[in-house]
Amino acid sequence: DVKVTQSSRYLVKRTGEKVFLECVQDMDHENMFWYRQDPGLGLRLIYFSYDVKMKEKGDIPEGYSVSREKKERFSLILESASTNQTSMYLCAGRSGLDGEQFFGPGTRLTVL
Amino acid sequence: DQQVKQNSPSLSVQEGRISILNCDYTNSMFDYFLWYKKYPAEGPTFLISISSIKDKNEDGRFTVFLNKSAKHLSLHIVPSQPGDSAVYFCAASLYTGNQFYFGTGTSLTVIP
């Protein structure tokens, strides 16, 4: 079974803190993605990576960065968290350019 | 600019009846479409997909219809069951592309 895991289900941080969200997949996916989900806005792509050390900006990259040092791990970094980054963050993996993306359970981040 | 739209934020259906969820897209280059289902506090799970060479794909109680000329797809669930109550997202991509474009979601409630 495909497995995408995220390090935390719930996270509470303060404004200005540096935040790391970790995602690990065990299916040898070349491609990994970070989305945020907000009511009325659906899933919006923040960044994706198609190979180790490679990254591409999605639709809303401002305020975020990513790191992919190993194939199985894709990290999302909020350099200085702000209240408007309170959201549900979803990681996904996909093999090649064929088929669906497999999602992790999500991290509900609250920035106070 | 939202390239994939779900104009109905919510839908209520009686158990046993048909649920029809609709999705419109603007980019005529999209050639691969998917539906995902999402329960609260969980990541989206893949439901069914269709490529642009087909106009219908069926999997058990779920059928997706694609009307390329109208840039419209729909998901039919027959018969609807209470366990189908969830948020449904449609997504579209280029078959050779990496990025999925998601709609804003439709919350389906199946009333027992």
Side-chain angles (χ1 to χ4, degrees):
Chain A
D1 231 13
V2 177
K3 206 83 186 269
V4 179
T5 57
Q6 295 182 230
S7 51
S8 304
R9 296 299 301 271
Y10 300 93
L11 212 50
V12 180
K13 295 291 181 181
R14 298 219 173 265
T15 301
E17 279 193 76
K18 191 169 186 175
V19 182
F20 293 87
L21 302 181
E22 302 284 336
C23 176
V24 177
Q25 52 97 359
D26 66 357
M27 283 302 293
D28 208 32
H29 293 305
E30 295 88 2
N31 307 293
M32 296 186 75
F33 306 82
W34 275 107
Y35 294 88
R36 61 179 282 178
Q37 183 204 351
D38 300 289
L41 297 176
L43 276 70
R44 293 181 293 165
L45 182 65
I46 304 170
Y47 267 97
F48 67 96
S49 167
Y50 52 89
D51 203 350
V52 175
K53 297 192 187 294
M54 307 302 287
K55 61 184 179 184
E56 292 280 346
K57 292 180 181 179
D59 297 320
I60 51 164
E62 298 78 18
Y64 303 94
S65 62
V66 290
S67 171
R68 192 162 181 208
E69 296 297 319
K70 293 184 177 181
K71 190 174 186 179
E72 67 271 17
R73 190 178 296 268
F74 191 35
S75 303
L76 179 70
I77 303 152
L78 287 66
E79 295 289 342
S80 178
S82 63
T83 55
N84 62 14
Q85 292 178 309
T86 292
S87 186
M88 167 71 89
Y89 288 89
L90 294 159
C91 175
R94 187 188 192 201
S95 291
L97 294 175
D98 188 21
E100 69 269 28
Q101 293 180 7
F102 295 89
F103 282 85
T107 296
R108 169 69 66 185
L109 172 67
T110 302
V111 182
L112 301 175
Chain B
D1 193 26
Q2 194 80 23
Q3 297 192 58
V4 178
K5 299 177 184 179
Q6 294 175 257
N7 292 318
S8 298
S10 63
L11 176 68
S12 289
V13 170
Q14 288 285 340
E15 181 178 3
R17 306 294 290 267
I18 185 171
S19 295
I20 301 176
L21 295 92
N22 294 303
C23 180
D24 297 294
Y25 60 96
T26 57
N27 188 342
S28 58
M29 300 298 290
F30 287 146
D31 51 12
Y32 185 55
F33 305 89
L34 309 91
W35 284 93
Y36 280 84
K37 174 179 176 179
K38 185 181 184 300
Y39 293 117
E42 293 185 15
T45 54
F46 170 73
L47 205 51
I48 193 168
S49 64
I50 188 168
S51 74
S52 60
I53 61 172
K54 294 185 173 183
D55 53 20
K56 176 182 173 182
N57 189 25
E58 201 169 341
D59 184 1
R61 296 186 297 114
F62 302 93
T63 303
V64 56
F65 295 91
L66 176 62
N67 182 334
K68 289 185 291 291
S69 60
K71 297 196 193 73
H72 178 84
L73 66 155
S74 60
L75 175 69
H76 292 211
I77 306 173
V78 183
S80 301
Q81 299 173 353
D84 295 330
S85 297
V87 177
Y88 290 78
F89 291 98
C90 65
S93 78
L94 301 175
Y95 205 76
T96 55
N98 222 340
Q99 186 168 347
F100 285 10
Y101 297 85
F102 283 85
T104 51
T106 296
S107 178
L108 173 66
T109 302
V110 179
I111 304 161

